[in-house]
Amino acid sequence: MEQSTRTHLLQSELTEALASLVFEDGDFTVFDDVRVFRRSAPTPLLHGESSVSYCAIGQGAKHVEIGDFSYVYGPENILITSIEMPMVSRVVEASKDKPYLSMTLDLNPGLVRSVIVAAGIDHLTGDSDLCAHKVKPMEAGVLGATVRLMQSIGKPNEAEFLVP
């Protein structure tokens, strides 16, 4: 299967998985450190604090300002934050027919560190501009893992192993 076709199929699966977990607008903790967000219209600016997390959008788009950086990201990207920081955000693309659907997985810094050590990674390569937050392109492998995670939420025995 061609990479773009596979990515498009996985993106549709992520949107379906997110939609199956939340049926109305709001912020919902669906399993331990996993939250799902749904909005049926663009939102005003909201002030808050980022968490150490991985964020993916199934459908719609969001504008985020953290420090001096400003990002608009959608299903083709992920947002990774590695420290808690003040932030401002707003949903910029959402409608009743195509609501904004996203997920956030809060990350345990100690667990991330232990995985890096166990994998034998003594330095990070390929990213010369490391920072506390980053919008990066969504890779098919990461998208596939995100889909599996969100599909597992309805199956607690699976989710308790996939979430960490």
Side-chain angles (χ1 to χ4, degrees):
M1 180 182 305
E2 185 180 310
Q3 188 68 20
S4 64
T5 303
R6 179 173 180 253
T7 300
H8 187 271
L9 178 62
L10 287 169
Q11 194 63 53
S12 295
E13 289 180 23
L14 178 59
T15 301
E16 287 175 25
L18 293 169
S20 73
L21 294 170
V22 295
F23 305 103
E24 59 189 39
D25 285 1
D27 306 356
F28 304 92
T29 298
V30 294
F31 192 91
D32 291 341
D33 295 326
V34 181
R35 293 184 314 272
V36 174
F37 306 86
R38 180 186 174 109
R39 302 288 185 273
S40 296
T43 64
L45 285 175
L46 301 171
H47 295 265
E49 187 170 88
S50 68
S51 60
V52 178
S53 60
Y54 159 80
C55 308
I57 295 175
Q59 184 169 272
K62 188 173 192 176
H63 174 250
V64 177
E65 294 178 19
I66 304 174
D68 294 335
F69 296 92
S70 179
Y71 308 100
V72 174
Y73 73 106
E76 65 281 349
N77 303 110
I78 57 174
L79 172 65
I80 301 287
T81 55
S82 60
I83 62 172
E84 294 177 353
M85 293 183 66
M87 66 181 285
V88 178
S89 66
R90 65 187 171 103
V91 172
V92 295
E93 186 180 310
S95 68
K96 287 204 182 287
D97 293 336
K98 288 186 78 174
Y100 168 84
L101 295 165
S102 71
M103 60 78 62
T104 296
L105 171 63
D106 287 335
L107 301 173
N108 175 322
L111 181 60
V112 172
R113 220 175 0 264
S114 70
V115 169
I116 289 171
V117 169
I121 300 170
D122 57 356
H123 66 283
L124 299 175
T125 60
D127 203 352
S128 61
D129 60 340
L130 292 174
C131 62
H133 45 83
K134 189 132 184 128
V135 171
K136 298 188 66 104
M138 174 68 85
E139 297 175 6
V142 172
L143 179 55
T146 304
V147 169
R148 288 190 307 277
L149 170 66
M150 299 315 298
Q151 290 172 337
S152 78
I153 297 298
K155 305 168 193 160
N157 290 340
E158 287 182 27
E160 73 178 281
F161 294 103
L162 285 175
V163 171

